[in-house]
Each structure stands twice: as structure tokens, then as C-alpha cells.
Amino acid sequence: MQVKLDKPPLRGRSFYESANNAIVGIILSFKTEQNLRIHFLAAILVLLAGLRLGITRIELVVLLLAITFVIMAEMLNTTVEILTNAFVNEENHHARLAKDVAAGSVLVASVGAACIGYIIFFDKVVHLSPQIFQKVKSVPLHVAVVSLILVMIVTIILKTFFPHGTPL
């Protein structure tokens, strides 16, 4: 059975037009969002440190994935803020909640990236200042990272049951 269309299907955008629009979106996000500029600066510093300290190809791939994830989360957070502001004229509980959840996703991505950076870079920088890192080095790497993540999770759970004040 053949379906008859009243109008011809819309012509899709060319790859060039789509890529150009995507780049415009990145540039606009970079211009308007201070946190995105901070994430880009952190990415540059991490990549330069990785080159200087001789990270492996696998470590580079993991760092690139973490960086990409953080920047994507920040841009999606920006999208949620833009759309919420466009369609909600007054202070709205649901709009605030959507913005907070989107911002929380950036925090989760950033903490994850920081843990990845810690795992990759710690052994490469520990020899630079032995006095500072001596006590930290005695704790196994995985124990330190898991401890950090567990403290964050327990804090979130406790703040759910005891919502007084701010999380920080």
C-alpha cells in the first residue's frame, strides 16, 4: 500500500548547514556562559598537563570522554535554562526544579571528571612535592576516589531527609 502525500517532504538541511548551526550554538554558549568558559579552560589545562606528563593513549581517551561529557552537560544545562526562561515568565517551582536538576547533572559530570583526573594524574605528580603527597600516597588510589564519591552520595541522601539550610 502506497501513502500519498499532499505536500512533498521538506528538504533536509545540508551537512554544512547543520554543522554551521552547531558551531554557532557552541560559540553562543561560550560567549554567554561563564561556567562553560571555565570548563574549556580546565580542559585546556588538563590536556596540556597530560601532554607534559606523558599520559598514555588510553588515558587521553578517558580524559577526552570526561571533558566531552562535562561540556555536553553544561551545554544541556544552558539549553534547559534558555527554554525555561523563554516559556516561564514568573518564578515557577517546576521551572526552578528543572534548572536545579540540569545544574546538578553538570556537577555530577564535573565530579566524575575530577575523579578521573585524580586517578590519571596522581602518580604522575606525586613525586613533585613529596611532603604534601606523602600522607595521601599511603591511601590506595581507589580507596580515595570511592571515599570521595561515597561522601557525596551520603551527603545528598542526608540532605534529602534533613533539608534545612543549603547543601554546602
Side-chain angles (χ1 to χ4, degrees):
M1 177 174 182
Q2 212 173 19
V3 177
K4 195 171 188 178
L5 299 173
D6 292 353
K7 297 178 184 177
L10 295 174
R11 182 183 165 271
R13 289 185 283 175
S14 71
F15 175 78
Y16 174 80
E17 291 169 320
S18 296
N20 193 52
N21 290 338
I23 292 169
V24 167
I26 295 168
I27 291 169
L28 287 173
S29 296
F30 187 82
K31 282 182 177 179
T32 61
E33 295 299 318
Q34 178 182 359
N35 288 341
L36 187 62
R37 292 190 296 271
I38 291 169
H39 292 306
F40 269 101
L41 176 62
I44 290 168
L45 294 175
V46 164
L47 292 172
L48 290 174
L51 290 175
R52 176 74 173 100
L53 296 170
I55 61 173
T56 67
R57 286 175 123 181
I58 296 297
E59 290 170 334
L60 176 61
V61 167
V62 172
L63 286 175
L64 289 173
L65 286 171
I67 289 167
T68 301
F69 191 59
V70 170
I71 290 173
M72 284 177 53
E74 186 63 55
M75 290 177 70
L76 289 172
N77 179 47
T78 299
T79 302
V80 169
E81 289 180 4
I82 290 168
L83 289 173
T84 303
N85 292 341
F87 292 106
V88 179
N89 293 331
E90 64 219 39
E91 186 62 33
N92 178 295
H93 172 71
H94 296 291
R96 176 84 261 146
L97 184 61
K99 289 180 174 184
D100 289 348
V101 170
S105 70
V106 178
L107 181 60
V108 169
S110 298
V111 169
C115 290
I116 289 168
Y118 178 81
I119 291 168
I120 290 173
F121 286 109
F122 184 78
D123 286 337
K124 294 171 179 20
V125 299
V126 71
H127 68 280
L128 298 176
S129 182
Q131 295 83 15
I132 295 173
F133 292 111
Q134 191 60 34
K135 288 187 179 182
V136 177
K137 188 168 172 59
S138 65
V139 176
L141 185 64
H142 65 284
V143 172
V145 171
V146 170
S147 297
L148 173 65
I149 293 169
L150 286 175
V151 166
M152 289 182 53
I153 291 170
V154 168
T155 301
I156 290 167
I157 291 170
L158 288 175
K159 285 306 289 181
T160 302
F161 293 111
F162 305 104
H164 305 293
T166 62
L168 295 178

